[in-house]
Structure formats: C-alpha cells, structure tokens
C-alpha cells in the first residue's frame, strides 16, 4: 500500500510541483486548495476548501482514509500583505497568520492524531523568515512563526516518531511573480539561476521520506545561495 500524504495549497506553483513529485515517488496524495483541481494533476484525490476550516481538515482525512493512514503532510498555502509596517491592516495581518501558521498547526495536530505511528510534516516557509526587505513584514513574521512551530513540533512529537521540518525557498518564478525577474535579483543567487518549484518539491520529497529519518526541527534553505550572500555582493 502506498504511503499517503496531504498537500495544502496544492494548486499553487510549489504546491502542484510537490503533488506531482510525490506521486512519482509512490505517494498517494490528497490535494487541498480553494480552487478546483488544475489541469495536469489528475489521478489524485482533490478537496476544495479553506484550510482554516476544520471541516476541510476532516474532509481531507476522510478522502485519504481509502488509501490508508496519513503519514505525510505538506502545507504550501500562501497569504501575504504588502506594505510598510505602519500601514499594515490588523485584520489582513490576522489572515496572514491564520493561513500560514494557525492552519499549519491545525493540520499538523490532526495528522499526528490520525497517524498510528511515524509521520513526517513539511511546511513551506521562506527565506523571508530569516531576512527582511521593506514592505514584506507581514509575510516575514508569518514565516518566522512557522519556523518556530516546526521546532516546537519536532521537540514535542519526536518521541512519538513524528518529524517536522520546513523548506525555505528563495525567489521561485511562478505565474504570480514571474514579472519580478530582474538581473539584479538573479545576481543575488551564487548559482546564477533561479530556484524552480520542482527544485523545492524534490527537497520536500526527501524530507517526507525515510532517507531523512534522522532530520527533524530543521528549516532548510532551497534558495540558490541567497542566504549565503553578503548584501553588497548582491
């Protein structure tokens, strides 16, 4: 029987790449998103719903039960509010945290409660969790909190055989941001190439699988070297 994984934000650039990669690695996948299944993701279970709703969690777990017990979770949902610190809207900031952090916590606890033994949780964080740029404070705060959740989960659930890690993508050109590709941005990557959604997905698959059985509590950059670069060189 195939291992079973839930992937939230499965219709997005990184989320859909994760789904495709996990299927290639032999996982049975249940994708979750606010929108219908995109073309190219046929052959998996799909749940349309808001990740903040408990009903969506229960629906996804029920859909997964036909394949067996869930042993993997990937949260790849996106919420951001751009603007200066003094212009942030409190309600929008709450939404960012609800989608990026609270939902990740809720889905993690649900999977751990349903898993009979070992499980692996991977949350998609960002390089913004460790570095700041103007206008991205809300997103950065949410991702930093997500990294803190990863460490807490690794410590508390480790004795139960549960691993929890984060992946920190750098700039990944997808449909919503491909217009932001510039020579200056590219120069900030020592590898002199952008990270792709597939690059991120391969690392997620590694962290979900048994090959990484000794890895937990880690926030792993997949950024082409962005975080290793001194600002004046970029």
């Amino acid at each position: 029987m195939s291992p079973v994984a839930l992937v939230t934000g499965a219709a997005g650039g990184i989320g859909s790449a994760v789904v495709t990669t996990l299927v290639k690695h032999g996982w049975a996948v249940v994708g979750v998103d606010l929108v219908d299944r995109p073309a190219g993701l046929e052959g998996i279970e799909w749940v349309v719903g808001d990740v903040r709703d408990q009903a969506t969690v229960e629906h996804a777990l029920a859909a997964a039960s036909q394949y067996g017990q869930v042993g993997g979770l990937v949260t790849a949902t996106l919420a951001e509010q751009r603007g200066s610190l003094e212009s942030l809207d409190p309600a929008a900031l709450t939404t960012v945290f609800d989608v990026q952090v609270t939902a990740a916590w809720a889905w993690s606890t649900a999977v751990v409660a349903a898993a009979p033994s070992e499980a692996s949780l991977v949350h998609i964080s960002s390089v913004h969790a460790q570095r700041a740029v103007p206008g991205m404070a809300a997103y950065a705060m949410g991702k930093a909190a997500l990294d803190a959740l990863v460490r807490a989960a690794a410590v508390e659930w480790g004795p139960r055989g549960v691993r929890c890690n984060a992946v920190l993508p750098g700039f990944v050109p997808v449909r919503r941001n491909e217009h932001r590709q510039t020579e200056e941005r590219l120069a900030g990557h020592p590898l002199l190439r952008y990270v792709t959604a597939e690059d991120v997905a391969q690392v997620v698959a590694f962290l979900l699988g048994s090959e990484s059985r000794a890895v937990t509590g880690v926030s792993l950059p997949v950024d082409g070297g962005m975080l290793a670069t001194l600002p004046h060189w970029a």
Side-chain angles (χ1 to χ4, degrees):
M1 183 174 293
S2 300
V4 185
L6 304 181
V7 180
T8 68
I14 291 177
S16 60
V18 167
V19 170
T20 301
T21 300
L22 292 184
V23 170
K24 290 179 180 178
H25 281 74
W27 288 81
V29 177
V30 176
V32 182
D33 212 300
L34 283 170
V35 299
D36 291 334
R37 180 204 326 261
L41 293 185
E42 293 78 12
I44 67 167
E45 292 294 318
W46 193 265
V47 172
V48 176
D50 191 325
V51 295
R52 296 170 292 180
D53 294 341
Q54 183 61 29
T56 305
V57 180
E58 294 171 358
H59 188 183
L61 287 172
S65 65
Q66 62 183 303
Y67 301 103
Q69 295 288 342
V70 175
L73 169 69
V74 182
T75 65
T77 48
L78 172 70
E80 63 180 11
Q81 179 193 9
R82 293 178 182 267
S84 63
L85 280 168
E86 63 270 22
S87 70
L88 293 180
D89 175 64
L93 184 59
T94 297
T95 297
V96 170
F97 273 80
D98 284 347
V99 172
Q100 291 189 170
V101 186
T102 307
W105 162 78
W107 283 80
S108 296
T109 54
V111 167
V112 170
S117 56
E118 297 179 355
S120 181
L121 319 174
V122 180
H123 300 296
I124 305 300
S125 182
S126 169
V127 291
H128 287 275
Q130 297 187 8
R131 299 291 188 272
V133 295
M136 294 291 291
Y139 183 76
M141 288 188 288
K143 292 303 187 182
L146 185 61
D147 284 5
L149 169 63
V150 163
R151 293 189 294 271
V155 171
E156 289 196 25
W157 291 336
R160 299 170 60 173
V162 175
R163 296 186 297 111
C164 189
N165 294 288
V167 173
L168 281 62
F171 181 76
V172 178
V174 294
R175 183 177 301 175
R176 68 179 180 83
N177 67 6
E178 57 188 6
H179 64 285
R180 298 181 182 276
Q181 300 180 67
T182 64
E183 291 186 6
E184 181 182 15
R185 191 182 299 274
L186 183 61
H189 298 66
L191 292 179
L192 295 181
R193 74 171 183 86
Y194 291 118
V195 175
T196 68
E198 291 71 24
D199 292 331
V200 177
Q202 290 291 349
V203 176
V204 170
F206 166 72
L207 291 173
L208 280 184
S210 59
E211 295 86 353
S212 61
R213 64 183 183 180
V215 181
T216 193
V218 168
S219 293
L220 179 61
V222 184
D223 65 352
M226 288 178 68
L227 291 177
T229 305
L230 288 171
H232 67 274
W233 289 109

